[in-house]
C-alpha cells in the first residue's frame, strides 16, 4: 500500500491530508485562531465539585470551565504495591467519591483528552501522558507496555526489555512503546526516553513556579504532530507546500528522527497541492449526507448530537444472481466505504450502521470482518459489536476533536440546523394567523406584510381570494411587499 502525507499551509490555516493508494483517507485542520488543545497540560484550579455528577469543573484559563470526572482522577497506589519497577495488581476497590478526591479551590495538574465540542467544555484527566516519536511517557505509572499492533513476540520482548532498562535510569516511570518503534535500535529509544524525561522535569518545575490556570506544556503544531504520529513504514513521502514549514520539519526530523529526513519533500509546483491530488473535491463530497458506491448503491450519513447513523441502500445496483447476493455485495462495499468515511469525516462517539438485511450468517460475518479490516488502519480507537436482533451494527469510535463537518460548517441560518425549511404554504397560513392576532390587539387602518418573494408570489397567485375574504372580515386593507433579504420562514406584519 502506497501512502503519502500532504501538508498545505496558508497564513491562518494548516491542513494535513493522508493519501492511501491515491485516495484521501484523513484530513486534519488547524486554524491559527482556534488551535486544538488536546494533549496540553495545565495547572488547573477546581472551580466547583459536583457530587451528583461525580465530577468537577476545572478552570484552565479558557472561556469555559473544563470537565474532570472522578474516573479520570489517578489515585496513587500505596508504596507496597510497587516493586522492582513493576506494578503489583491491587485488590478491587469501590471507586472513590469525587469529594474525596478533590475540593473547591484545589490546584490540580490536568491534561486535555477531548477538545471543547459544541457547548461542552474540554474533558480532562490527571493521568498524564506525553508522546514522543517511539514512546509515550506515563509519569504516574511504573508499567512498560507495548502496542498491540506489534505482533512479533520476540520484537515485543526486545522492546520491553530495552525500555525497562532505560526507564530504570530515568526515575522508573511508565512507558508505552508505540507501533513506530518496531525495529528501532536501542539508541533511538534512549534518545526518546531522555527527551521525555527532560520534558517532564520542565513540567514539574513549572508546576511550582506558575500560578493556577497556567499552560504547563503545549503539544506540537499540526505539521510536527503529523510527522511524529502519522509516518509509518509504508509512508513514501511527506510533501509540504511552504518553505518555512518545510525547514521547520527538516530541523525537527534531523533532531528526533533522522532516518525519515529523505521522506520530506518541498512542493513548489504551480498547481495547488490539494488540487493536484483531488483533495479539495473530496473535502466537498465529505460534507454531503449521501455517499455513492461504485456498484450504484449509496450510504446516507446523519450526524446528530447523540450519535451518527449510517444507512446502506442498494440504489440502482441489481446484481447478476439473486437478491441475497446483491445485498451481500452491496454490504461488503458499504463496509469498506464506512471505514473510510469515519476516518475522513472524523466521526466519533456512538455509530449505528443499518446494513441491508441479510439472512445468511456467514455473509454477516464477512461484512463485519470487512468493516473491522477497514478500521485496522484507523488511528482512533474503535470497537465494533455484532449484528443486533434488529440487524444493526453498533460501534464506537474515540472522539477527541470536532468532526470535519462541524469544523468546516455551521447550522443553516434559514432552517436553524433542521435541514429543512417550512413550505411557502405553511408560512402563508402563519401570516394569516398573525394578521388576525395583530388586528385583535392593535388598532390600524391598513396592514403591510413583508415576506420572501416566494411566499409573496404564492399569496398573490394562489391565495388572492383568501386575502380578499380576510380584508372583508377584518375591515382593513392588506398590502404585500416582497423583500429578497427575507428568508422563506421570515415575515413581518406591520400596522399602518
Amino acid at each position: 500500500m502506497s501512502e503519502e502525507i500532504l501538508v498545505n499551509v496558508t497564513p491562518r490555516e494548516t491542513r494535513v491530508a493522508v493519501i492511501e493508494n491515491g485516495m484521501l483517507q484523513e484530513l486534519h485542520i488547524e486554524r491559527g485562531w482556534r488551535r486544538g488543545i488536546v494533549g496540553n497540560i495545565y495547572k488547573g484550579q477546581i472551580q466547583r465539585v459536583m457530587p451528583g455528577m461525580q465530577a468537577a469543573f476545572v478552570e484552565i484559563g479558557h472561556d469555559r470551565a473544563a470537565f474532570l470526572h472522578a474516573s479520570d482522577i489517578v489515585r496513587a497506589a500505596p508504596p507496597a504495591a510497587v516493586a522492582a519497577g513493576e506494578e503489583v495488581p491491587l485488590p478491587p476497590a469501590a471507586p472513590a467519591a469525587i469529594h474525596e478526591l478533590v475540593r473547591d479551590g484545589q490546584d490540580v495538574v490536568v491534561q486535555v483528552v477531548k477538545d471543547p465540542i459544541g457547548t461542552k467544555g474540554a474533558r480532562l484527566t490527571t493521568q498524564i501522558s506525553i508522546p514522543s516519536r517511539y514512546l509515550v511517557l506515563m509519569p504516574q505509572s511504573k508499567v512498560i507496555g507495548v502496542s498491540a499492533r506489534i505482533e512479533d513476540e520476540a520484537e515485543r520482548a526486545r522492546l520491553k526489555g530495552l525500555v525497562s532498562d532505560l526507564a530504570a535510569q530515568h526515575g522508573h516511570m511508565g512507558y508505552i512503546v508505540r507501533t513506530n518503534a518496531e525495529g528501532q535500535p536501542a539508541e533511538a529509544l534512549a534518545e526518546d526516553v531522555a527527551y521525555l524525561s527532560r520534558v517532564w522535569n520542565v513540567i514539574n518545575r513549572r508546576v511550582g513556579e506558575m500560578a493556577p490556570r497556567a499552560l504547563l506544556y503545549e503539544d506540537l503544531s499540526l505539521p510536527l504532530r503529523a510527522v511524529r504520529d502519522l509516518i509509518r513504514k509504508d509512508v513514501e513521502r511527506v510533501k509540504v507546500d511552504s518553505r518555512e514549514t518545510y525547514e521547520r520539519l527538516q530541523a525537527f526530523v534531523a533532531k528526533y528522527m533522522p532516518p525519515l529526513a529523505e521522506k520530506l519533500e518541498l512542493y513548489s509546483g504551480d498547481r495547488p497541492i490539494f488540487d493536484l491530488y483531488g483533495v479539495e473535491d473530496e473535502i466537498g463530497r465529505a460534507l454531503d449526507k449521501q455517499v455513492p458506491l461504485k456498484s450504484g448503491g449509496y450510504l446516507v450519513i446523519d450526524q446528530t448530537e447523540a450519535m451518527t447513523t449510517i444507512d446502506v441502500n442498494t440504489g440502482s445496483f441489481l446484481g447478476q444472481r439473486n437478491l441475497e447476493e446483491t445485498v451481500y455485495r452491496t454490504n461488503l462495499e458499504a463496509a469498506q466505504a464506512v471505514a473510510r468515511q469515519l476516518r475522513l469525516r472524523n466521526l466519533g462517539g456512538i455509530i449505528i450502521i443499518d446494513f441491508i438485511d441479510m439472512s445468511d450468517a456467514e455473509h454477516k460475518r464477512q461484512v463485519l470482518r470487512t468493516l473491522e479490516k477497514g478500521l485496522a488502519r484507523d488511528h482512533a480507537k474503535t470497537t465494533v459489536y455484532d449484528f443486533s436482533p434488529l440487524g444493526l451494527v453498533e460501534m464506537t469510535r474515540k472522539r477527541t476533536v470536532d468532526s470535519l463537518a462541524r469544523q468546516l460548517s455551521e447550522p443553516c441560518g434559514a432552517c436553524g440546523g433542521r435541514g429543512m425549511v417550512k413550505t411557502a404554504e405553511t408560512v402563508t397560513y402563519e401570516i394569516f394567523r398573525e394578521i388576525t392576532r395583530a388586528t385583535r390587539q392593535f388598532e390600524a387602518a391598513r396592514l403591510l406584510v413583508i415576506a420572501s418573494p416566494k411566499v409573496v408570489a404564492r399569496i398573490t397567485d394562489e391565495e388572492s381570494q383568501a386575502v380578499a375574504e380576510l380584508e372583508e372580515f377584518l375591515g382593513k386593507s392588506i398590502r404585500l411587499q416582497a423583500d429578497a433579504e427575507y428568508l422563506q420562514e421570515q415575515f413581518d406584519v406591520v400596522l399602518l
Side-chain angles (χ1 to χ4, degrees):
M1 175 178 287
S2 70
E3 186 172 335
E4 294 179 82
I5 296 175
L6 312 179
V7 182
N8 167 238
V9 182
T10 54
R12 299 291 290 167
E13 180 184 59
T14 300
R15 300 182 298 174
V16 172
V18 177
I19 309 294
E20 292 178 4
N21 293 333
M23 293 184 67
L24 177 64
Q25 299 292 335
E26 294 180 31
L27 181 71
H28 304 269
I29 300 173
E30 184 173 271
R31 289 171 173 166
W33 57 272
R34 195 185 66 185
R35 184 174 168 182
I37 60 172
V38 170
N40 288 1
I41 300 173
Y42 295 86
K43 183 178 181 178
Q45 188 173 60
I46 303 295
Q47 178 196 53
R48 187 180 178 191
V49 175
M50 307 286 289
M53 298 173 62
Q54 273 292 82
F57 289 106
V58 185
E59 290 287 356
I60 58 172
H62 288 254
D63 294 339
R64 288 194 298 260
F67 183 83
L68 176 64
H69 193 269
S71 62
D72 293 317
I73 299 176
V74 176
R75 286 187 289 168
V82 179
E86 292 287 346
E87 285 188 357
V88 178
L90 296 172
I98 185 69
H99 61 79
E100 297 176 6
L101 300 173
V102 293
R103 65 183 185 279
D104 289 354
Q106 177 184 339
D107 292 345
V108 58
V109 178
V110 290
Q111 185 168 34
V112 178
V113 293
K114 186 183 293 185
D115 271 332
I117 296 176
T119 59
K120 300 175 183 176
R123 179 77 181 254
L124 305 176
T125 181
T126 65
Q127 175 71 67
I128 306 300
S129 61
I130 305 170
S132 67
R133 172 58 182 160
Y134 303 119
L135 304 170
V136 178
L137 171 64
M138 310 289 286
Q140 292 118 320
S141 174
K142 304 293 182 183
V143 170
I144 307 300
V146 181
S147 167
R149 293 186 177 181
I150 300 177
E151 298 178 353
D152 183 271
E153 288 300 329
E155 178 64 0
R156 292 176 65 86
R158 181 187 77 89
L159 291 169
K160 187 169 185 176
L162 282 173
V163 176
S164 296
D165 292 342
L166 292 168
Q169 302 168 27
H170 292 82
H172 280 297
M173 292 184 287
Y175 293 87
I176 295 173
V177 181
R178 306 181 70 176
T179 308
N180 289 334
E182 188 170 10
Q184 295 300 321
E187 294 77 13
L189 299 177
E191 289 173 2
D192 267 25
V193 170
Y195 162 73
L196 291 170
S197 297
R198 289 196 300 271
V199 171
W200 182 239
N201 289 336
V202 169
I203 291 172
N204 272 327
R205 188 177 72 246
R206 289 179 176 174
V207 170
E209 296 173 351
M210 303 186 78
R213 309 180 189 186
L215 175 65
L216 304 175
Y217 166 84
E218 185 173 24
D219 203 3
L220 300 173
S221 63
L222 178 58
L224 300 184
R225 288 202 312 274
V227 169
R228 182 191 70 193
D229 298 338
L230 300 178
I231 291 187
R232 294 182 281 210
K233 289 180 179 178
D234 43 9
V235 173
E236 294 179 357
R237 63 183 66 85
V238 179
K239 290 187 176 180
V240 189
D241 65 2
S242 159
R243 180 170 292 279
E244 180 183 352
T245 302
Y246 172 71
E247 290 172 353
R248 279 197 289 128
L249 285 173
Q250 277 189 314
F252 179 79
V253 167
K255 184 174 182 180
Y256 295 112
M257 47 194 80
L260 299 178
E262 61 185 22
K263 293 180 182 283
L264 289 180
E265 181 180 312
L266 177 64
Y267 175 78
S268 56
D270 294 331
R271 193 176 176 190
I273 190 170
F274 273 24
D275 287 357
L276 186 67
Y277 285 77
V279 173
E280 298 290 7
D281 292 338
E282 286 287 347
I283 294 172
R285 286 192 284 270
L287 299 179
D288 293 338
K289 285 179 60 173
Q290 191 163 306
V291 180
L293 303 176
K294 291 181 180 179
S295 65
Y298 59 93
L299 310 177
V300 178
I301 301 176
D302 275 305
Q303 186 182 358
T304 69
E305 192 69 25
M307 67 181 70
T308 297
T309 62
I310 303 176
D311 187 35
V312 182
N313 297 277
T314 55
S316 61
F317 182 43
L318 302 176
Q320 297 178 348
R321 297 185 184 178
N322 53 47
L323 178 61
E324 177 69 21
E325 187 69 17
T326 299
V327 166
Y328 174 53
R329 295 297 174 192
T330 303
N331 282 339
L332 282 178
E333 186 183 3
Q336 294 176 318
V338 165
R340 175 174 177 255
Q341 290 297 324
L342 295 181
R343 287 177 66 189
L344 176 56
R345 298 172 185 240
N346 197 23
L347 298 170
I350 299 171
I351 298 158
I352 307 294
I353 309 168
D354 186 7
F355 287 106
I356 308 166
D357 289 342
M358 295 177 290
S359 57
D360 190 304
E362 180 59 26
H363 285 175
K364 291 182 179 181
R365 282 193 292 271
Q366 290 299 332
V367 168
L368 275 182
R369 285 196 194 103
T370 301
L371 177 62
E372 290 166 347
K373 184 179 178 181
L375 293 169
R377 296 180 65 81
D378 197 337
H379 295 281
K381 181 182 178 182
T382 58
T383 305
V384 181
Y385 299 93
D386 204 348
F387 278 88
S388 74
L390 293 176
L392 305 175
V393 172
E394 300 172 19
M395 65 169 289
T396 60
R397 184 175 185 270
K398 186 176 180 181
R399 174 168 53 195
T400 56
V401 298
D402 268 335
S403 67
L404 183 63
R406 287 180 176 161
Q407 289 183 66
L408 301 181
S409 310
E410 62 183 15
C412 167
C415 70
R418 298 196 310 269
M420 302 180 74
V421 295
K422 294 176 182 176
T423 65
E425 181 182 29
T426 300
V427 178
T428 295
Y429 299 140
E430 287 184 353
I431 290 172
F432 289 169
R433 287 193 294 273
E434 182 61 27
I435 289 172
T436 304
R437 187 181 301 115
T439 55
R440 285 175 178 170
Q441 288 184 280
F442 306 101
E443 287 294 328
R446 301 184 312 279
L447 296 99
L448 171 64
V449 175
I450 308 171
S452 70
K454 184 176 179 181
V455 171
V456 170
R458 188 188 186 282
I459 295 174
T460 304
D461 295 342
E462 301 180 35
E463 302 289 349
S464 56
Q465 181 64 34
V467 173
E469 290 173 358
L470 194 57
E471 286 179 321
E472 184 178 352
F473 173 74
L474 299 173
K476 305 177 189 304
S477 66
I478 300 171
R479 186 160 63 87
L480 303 172
Q481 178 179 315
D483 190 326
E485 296 296 317
Y486 277 58
L487 300 173
Q488 185 158 305
E489 294 188 3
Q490 291 180 310
F491 64 85
D492 284 306
V493 175
V494 183
L495 303 173
L496 302 174

